[in-house]
Amino acid sequence: MAAYTLILILGDQLSFDISSLRGTDPSTSVILMGEVAAEADYVWHHRKKLAFVFSAMRHHADALRAAGWTVDYIKLDDPPNSGSLRGEVSRALIRHGAERIVVTEAGEWRLREEMAGWAAAIAVPVEVRPDDRFFASDADFTAWAEGRKALRMEYFYRQMRRATGLLMEGDDPAGGRWNFDAENRKPAARDLLMPRPRQIAPDSVTEDVLAMVAARFPDRFGSLDDFWFAVTAEDAEAQFDAFVADALPRFGDYQDAMLAGEPWLYHSVIALYLNIGLLDPRAVCWRVDAAWRAGDVPINAAEGFIRQILGWREYVRGIYWREGPDYAQRNALDARHPLPDFYWSADTDMACVRACVEQTRDTAYAHHIQRLMVTGNFALLAGIDPHALHLWYLAVYADAYEWVELPNTVGMSQFADGGLLASKPYAASGAYIDRMSDYCRGCRYDVKAKAGSGACPFNRLYWPFLIRHRDRLANNPRMTPMYRTLARWDAARQAALVADGAACLAELGIEKG
Ligand code: FAD
Ligand code: DLZ
Ligand code: SF4
């Protein structure tokens, strides 16, 4: 019998429990999966991210076939590949004589808007189903946000704890507190025994993909060496199990720590799997809840970890869809400097930035504090255009998808939404990085010096940032101590700080764009 439903599965929809597969009969449907140039090129994805996505797509196609589905899989280098999802859908409709298309909604405004035009252009009905691989639906988030003056994550998170029962003891939060962050700020010591994520050796499918990506994208950012990411659900689960056993108990303690040469510390490295569907966020959180109830992990670790997924991940998604496509253009602090070349080359004397960019180039990974307090903090202090920075973050991490990356960049890291997401800018001088890492020891700049060409650039840019944004930030209660300090300094001293900040930018090669 001719197949009459074409089910399109996108590269970040690699879950068996995806809405597009529900209620559709494998005997009268064909699944289309396509590696297409348009998705590989709309941003300069890291080469490890490309290899990860394509290899995971190919493995998922095999798993779907093994489960009885017919899968029409288009490889990037298949000669007739049209290069776009629309083009591949059109070709597949003719090939299979399909009469309708079913697809789960895309995780990005760009593609959602494009798909909205498909039905008219393709002349068969296109059924777009909600993506329900999350704790909260769009309607849940809208209901929570309705009528609130400030959309703070902490309150959303508490509601989610109550709604799900995760880490709850009756009506009370486990351990008597909602948030154990105060205990989660230990700097890591060099002699700690660091667990390594379980590594998966590339199989022949991954080897083929690595060769294809190397040949097709020779000039793209990012190393393809030492590829060890899981590319199947089974291996992603095995990596997560190893994290729960080896690293989760200390996740909370060292969540904010940074050490040169130690990219993973006690982090899970699962965002890449969650974001393409190889791991389910609900299963992950309940597994951690169970580990806490069994006494295997302390509450500060379990709570800290679950908050990132049940709280932050769900919350930023809600913000992304609520704020609309224009959110990408926000620039409340009017930051206009172009992204410095060293975000790609790592060619900078700032040891912290160099370490984070080199690690990003080699692994397509950096943990949250490296993203927020090193590369993000520097861009904030230096007044880098948030949109240029957004394109960088979207490109360079294996876990980067716009719905999660954009609010983290524009809102949390750059305060470019004027404080919708963050209650204060995450701006910090070198002292913070010195306290939480060992980067400063190997740096040519002096983290204790405040001004002059030998001083830490984070210090030189910090006060000029506060002076520049005094009108907007001075009344923010969380900024009061800093502005009180500033108020004690006379106009000449403040002018000297501003001049030194400008000199610092010039020395770093950062000029007005
Ligand atoms: P862990 O530290 O082990 O945390 C566990 C999980 O919690 C993560 O896997 C992730 O799913 C979730 N999580 C933690 N923090 C956040 C957060 N702030 N927002 C949403 N989820 C969170 N995360 C992405 O998944 N994709 C991105 O493109 C992305 N871009 C970011 C850009 C900037 C500027 C910043 C500051 C943060 C960004 N994050 C992004 C959030 C966070 O940095 C990553 O989720 C985390 O570093 C991934 O590493 P991990 O899996 O080892 O996480
Ligand atoms: C990230 C990505 C890449 C690199 N390539 C593909 C692809 O070739 N085909 C595909 O269906 N999906 C790909 N993806 C994932 C999509 O870009 C993702 O679905 C959208 O960004 C929406 O989140
Ligand atoms: Fe970074 Fe400043 Fe420390 Fe150098 S001294 S590593 S630039 S914080």
Side-chain angles (χ1 to χ4, degrees):
M1 192 200 309
Y4 65 85
T5 300
L6 185 69
I7 304 167
L8 175 64
I9 292 195
L10 301 173
D12 56 354
Q13 299 182 345
L14 310 184
S15 322
F16 270 87
D17 185 25
I18 189 91
S19 59
S20 54
L21 292 182
R22 269 178 233 145
T24 23
D25 180 350
S27 69
T28 54
S29 321
V30 167
I31 293 175
L32 174 68
M33 297 177 70
E35 299 169 4
V36 295
E39 293 307 304
D41 293 342
Y42 75 92
V43 68
W44 265 46
H45 303 287
H46 192 295
R47 298 198 305 168
K48 263 200 181 94
K49 178 183 179 187
L50 289 171
F52 168 62
V53 172
F54 294 150
S55 180
M57 284 175 70
R58 291 183 189 191
H59 281 91
H60 190 63
D62 287 342
L64 287 166
R65 285 188 191 110
W69 293 91
T70 303
V71 183
D72 187 0
Y73 193 96
I74 311 298
K75 291 183 178 170
L76 193 65
D77 46 11
D78 283 347
N81 188 329
S82 65
S84 74
L85 288 170
R86 223 306 295 278
E88 286 317 290
V89 165
S90 301
R91 290 200 316 121
L93 279 176
I94 297 167
R95 255 193 327 273
H96 302 290
E99 290 155 2
R100 66 173 190 139
I101 297 168
V102 174
V103 60
T104 294
E105 65 196 359
E108 204 170 316
W109 283 107
R110 172 187 62 86
L111 210 47
R112 271 200 197 179
E113 286 172 344
E114 188 195 313
M115 279 183 183
W118 282 5
I122 291 172
V124 298
V126 181
E127 186 189 340
V128 181
R129 297 183 177 173
D131 188 348
D132 54 13
R133 297 173 296 167
F134 295 88
F135 285 97
S137 66
D138 292 355
D140 292 336
F141 191 82
T142 306
W144 172 77
E146 218 45 59
R148 281 173 192 267
K149 269 207 208 112
L151 301 182
R152 293 286 168 251
M153 194 290 290
E154 185 62 29
Y155 297 107
F156 171 76
Y157 167 59
R158 290 179 192 180
Q159 166 147 326
M160 295 301 287
R161 290 270 297 277
R162 288 197 187 92
T164 57
L166 276 161
L167 296 184
M168 294 297 288
E169 293 176 310
D171 292 337
D172 298 322
R177 267 155 54 197
W178 292 106
N179 185 315
F180 287 78
D181 238 3
E183 289 160 38
N184 290 356
R185 305 224 164 97
K186 290 191 190 142
R190 274 253 147 245
D191 55 359
L192 275 173
L193 193 59
M194 239 53 87
R196 301 272 152 161
R198 174 170 300 182
Q199 311 206 339
I200 310 288
D203 64 6
S204 61
V205 174
T206 302
E207 293 290 4
D208 282 354
V209 169
L210 287 166
M212 179 187 80
V213 171
R216 177 117 177 198
F217 305 96
D219 302 326
R220 281 280 173 91
F221 177 76
S223 166
L224 283 169
D225 297 342
D226 301 322
F227 184 98
W228 55 258
F229 294 146
V231 288
T232 64
E234 293 69 29
D235 284 342
E237 273 154 29
Q239 279 187 358
F240 179 62
D241 283 347
F243 161 76
V244 172
D246 303 340
L248 178 62
R250 299 176 105 171
F251 171 84
D253 294 347
Y254 301 113
Q255 203 178 337
D256 290 3
M258 299 176 278
L259 279 181
E262 293 286 348
W264 329 105
L265 294 164
Y266 294 86
H267 291 273
S268 65
V269 199
I270 61 163
L272 74 171
Y273 308 133
L274 290 171
N275 296 350
I276 64 168
L278 295 185
L279 287 180
D280 183 298
R282 294 156 296 193
V284 160
C285 288
W286 281 111
R287 169 96 171 74
V288 171
D289 177 281
W292 169 72
R293 286 182 203 276
D296 296 339
V297 295
I299 186 66
N300 73 310
E303 190 284 315
F305 187 79
I306 284 180
R307 175 160 24 93
Q308 306 312 314
I309 296 177
L310 179 68
W312 281 111
R313 187 170 185 269
E314 297 281 326
Y315 167 80
V316 298
R317 180 170 184 265
I319 295 280
Y320 177 77
W321 293 117
R322 184 179 163 84
E323 289 304 304
D326 296 349
Y327 195 63
Q329 309 306 328
R330 305 268 171 97
N331 192 356
L333 299 184
D334 194 30
R336 303 278 168 204
H337 289 131
L339 188 74
D341 285 347
F342 55 73
Y343 273 69
W344 299 105
S345 67
D347 185 10
T348 169
D349 287 341
M350 290 183 283
C352 56
V353 176
R354 188 173 64 236
C356 291
V357 175
E358 283 175 350
Q359 176 194 313
T360 297
R361 180 196 63 206
D362 294 345
T363 65
Y365 177 82
H367 71 67
H368 187 64
I369 294 301
Q370 293 176 308
R371 299 184 203 196
L372 185 65
M373 299 310 293
V374 178
T375 45
N377 182 22
F378 179 81
L380 176 69
L381 297 179
I384 305 301
D385 172 11
H387 193 261
L389 188 72
H390 146 59
L391 294 179
W392 184 78
Y393 279 113
L394 186 58
V396 300
Y397 293 114
D399 55 41
Y401 292 86
E402 197 178 85
W403 64 266
V404 50
E405 174 277 328
L406 189 70
N408 270 297
T409 303
V410 161
M412 188 188 303
S413 154
Q414 299 302 296
F415 209 71
D417 62 5
L420 173 83
L421 194 146
S423 57
K424 80 177 206 14
Y426 282 93
S429 67
Y432 173 87
I433 295 173
D434 193 28
R435 190 165 62 249
M436 298 312 299
S437 80
D438 64 351
Y439 293 139
C440 301
R441 271 185 246 161
C443 188
R444 110 155 159 75
Y445 296 109
D446 180 355
V447 73
K448 301 274 186 271
K450 306 287 176 226
S453 55
C456 167
F458 286 80
N459 295 346
R460 298 176 76 189
L461 297 172
Y462 180 73
W463 292 107
F465 170 83
L466 291 185
I467 293 168
R468 194 159 75 238
H469 300 299
R470 192 183 337 237
D471 289 351
R472 181 181 281 276
L473 301 178
N475 292 329
N476 181 324
R478 298 194 60 199
M479 304 294 282
T480 310
M482 283 75 92
Y483 279 99
R484 245 188 233 135
T485 304
L486 198 57
R488 287 201 288 271
W489 299 343
D490 64 21
R493 183 167 178 186
Q494 294 196 25
L497 288 172
V498 171
D500 188 60
C504 175
L505 286 181
E507 285 162 33
L508 294 171
I510 299 170
E511 310 287 351
K512 201 99 187 147

